[in-house]
Amino acid sequence: MNARINQIEQNTKRIDELDFLKSIFILLMISFHLTYIGDGYPLSKQFVYTFHMPGFLIISGYLMKVNRPIQTFGKTILWLAVPYFIMETGYVIMASFLPIRDHIDNLSAGVMLQKLFVNPLGPYWYLHTLIICGTLYFAAFKLPKLSIISRIILLGLSYYGISLLGIIVLPCALYFLAGVAIRQSQHTPLDIFRKSGWSALILLLLALHPETFDKATIEGILIVYFVFSFCLTIYHYIPQTAKRIFLFLGRNSLVLYIFSPIFTICCKKFIPYLAFDSTRLLFLCISLPVCIIGCLATRKLLDILHLSPLIFGPKRAESAIEISTPSISRC
């Protein structure tokens, strides 16, 4: 058993296509976190939310490595928990002052603890889910004398049990489990999600039925699969300059995920000046670069101030965290 897992760990190299997928998903996440865009294109938002969250979870489940000493894995979880607690605390406090959709009327210590440990508010619930799913994944694969399939079944049952307590959402955990299953099968996502030009036609047909836009349905699973297939198909046709930009954004998805809510809120200030554009696309073309540049500049400032290691951990620890980002709504 351990020899087989060791082989899986050693054979896993960075896959550029996964960084490309992460960049597409993070750009869509930021775009529809802009309330002005989400409200203007509700069906598009619903369609995107059907696949980009599961996509991140599948990739994260595949990339998380559990065949390591508990001290090493514990550091990985630690450097997920630190930014989670910092940003979730800040978001909850902010929600108690600002008139946002997640507004909290009466902030108390009990409310804060409930949001931090049970029901996170806003976009940072994903780190909460990843910490729980990853820890249970590590525990299941440290149990002796169990086959791979037994461990995966046990892990699925544990996710189901935790979901009954309302701490995680079962469909989200199962997409993470799908990534785990791909990794343990000694395949890569590229083996499972096959490229095909026909994927565009299938996605078009599925998009004609908005009632199917649900990640927890068979149709939602098909949308996830064929979005992967379509993105992998177009990847090799993208010019090299654009490809380098996409890969850069994918590799910095953690930074974009953590800091983007700050800038999506700030971009509301543009709305009165751009309301003449009924398509709202001018707002998107201005706000999306502002959010991306703002996130990257924030990270650079933290580097200059030597604060990055306090949030993201040492460089070595940070590079081990292959984080992907979700949508703002808890599934």
Side-chain angles (χ1 to χ4, degrees):
M1 170 62 69
N2 289 335
R4 183 181 178 189
I5 298 177
N6 278 328
Q7 184 181 5
I8 294 170
E9 301 287 1
Q10 292 170 0
N11 290 341
T12 301
K13 298 179 180 179
R14 191 170 201 107
I15 302 173
D16 285 345
E17 287 86 346
L18 294 186
D19 286 323
F20 174 70
L21 286 166
K22 289 164 64 178
S23 70
I24 296 298
F25 296 156
I26 191 66
L27 292 174
L28 289 172
M29 185 206 77
I30 296 173
S31 296
F32 286 101
H33 281 191
L34 295 163
T35 305
Y36 193 54
I37 297 300
D39 291 346
Y41 296 89
L43 284 181
S44 296
K45 177 180 178 179
Q46 190 179 353
F47 181 71
V48 168
Y49 276 28
T50 301
F51 68 80
H52 87 306
M53 173 58 211
F56 286 127
L57 287 163
I58 291 170
I59 293 172
S60 291
Y62 173 75
L63 291 174
M64 183 166 283
K65 300 177 182 179
V66 295
N67 189 44
R68 48 183 60 188
I70 187 171
Q71 295 88 347
T72 304
F73 184 81
K75 290 179 181 178
T76 298
I77 296 299
L78 172 65
W79 295 116
L80 290 174
V82 170
Y84 166 70
F85 281 110
I86 291 174
M87 300 307 295
E88 178 66 13
T89 299
Y91 193 91
V92 172
I93 293 173
M94 178 193 68
S96 68
F97 290 101
L98 299 180
I100 61 176
R101 289 180 179 178
D102 294 326
H103 180 72
I104 296 177
D105 291 325
N106 298 301
L107 180 60
S108 65
V111 170
M112 178 65 77
L113 291 174
Q114 195 267 345
K115 294 301 180 186
L116 287 175
F117 292 99
V118 180
N119 186 24
L121 187 71
Y124 301 112
W125 68 267
Y126 182 75
L127 286 176
H128 175 266
T129 297
L130 191 58
I131 290 166
I132 294 172
C133 289
T135 300
L136 291 173
Y137 175 26
F138 178 81
F141 277 78
K142 287 301 180 182
L143 294 175
K145 300 180 181 179
L146 286 178
S147 65
I148 291 288
I149 188 64
S150 296
R151 295 170 192 272
I152 290 175
I153 292 172
L154 178 62
L155 187 57
L157 291 174
S158 69
Y159 290 163
Y160 174 71
I162 295 294
S163 72
L164 293 179
L165 301 176
I167 298 176
I168 60 173
V169 178
L170 185 59
C172 298
L174 293 181
Y175 278 109
F176 180 88
L177 183 63
V180 171
I182 293 171
R183 184 179 189 89
Q184 299 302 327
S185 71
Q186 295 188 318
H187 292 286
T188 73
L190 305 187
D191 300 320
I192 306 301
F193 301 98
R194 306 308 294 266
K195 296 180 293 182
S196 174
W198 290 102
S199 58
L201 176 60
I202 297 175
L203 286 173
L204 177 61
L205 294 174
L206 290 169
L208 296 176
H209 300 279
E211 69 277 5
T212 67
F213 295 172
D214 184 344
K215 63 179 66 67
T217 65
I218 295 298
E219 293 86 355
I221 294 171
L222 290 175
I223 289 173
V224 172
Y225 183 90
F226 288 109
V227 164
F228 268 76
S229 175
F230 176 71
C231 290
L232 293 175
T233 300
I234 66 174
Y235 171 74
H236 295 287
Y237 296 98
I238 297 175
Q240 285 300 319
T241 300
K243 188 177 293 185
R244 285 195 292 270
I245 294 173
F246 280 118
L247 295 180
F248 173 78
L249 294 177
R251 290 164 185 165
N252 286 275
S253 57
L254 175 60
V255 172
L256 299 178
Y257 162 54
I258 287 179
F259 297 123
S260 62
I262 300 171
F263 297 98
T264 55
I265 292 173
C266 293
C267 285
K268 291 181 179 180
K269 298 295 184 181
F270 299 150
I271 295 175
Y273 305 101
L274 302 174
F276 64 88
D277 176 22
S278 60
T279 68
R280 309 191 182 199
L281 295 180
L282 181 58
F283 172 82
L284 177 62
C285 291
I286 294 174
S287 299
L288 184 58
V290 167
C291 291
I292 293 171
I293 294 171
C295 291
L296 297 175
T298 300
R299 174 55 194 269
K300 184 65 176 179
L301 178 61
L302 292 174
D303 288 342
I304 293 173
L305 297 175
H306 304 289
L307 295 176
S308 292
L310 301 179
I311 299 175
F312 302 102
K315 287 291 184 180
R316 183 168 52 187
E318 180 185 349
S319 65
I321 302 174
E322 296 288 355
I323 183 68
S324 304
T325 49
S327 73
I328 194 167
S329 60
R330 201 175 188 211
C331 300

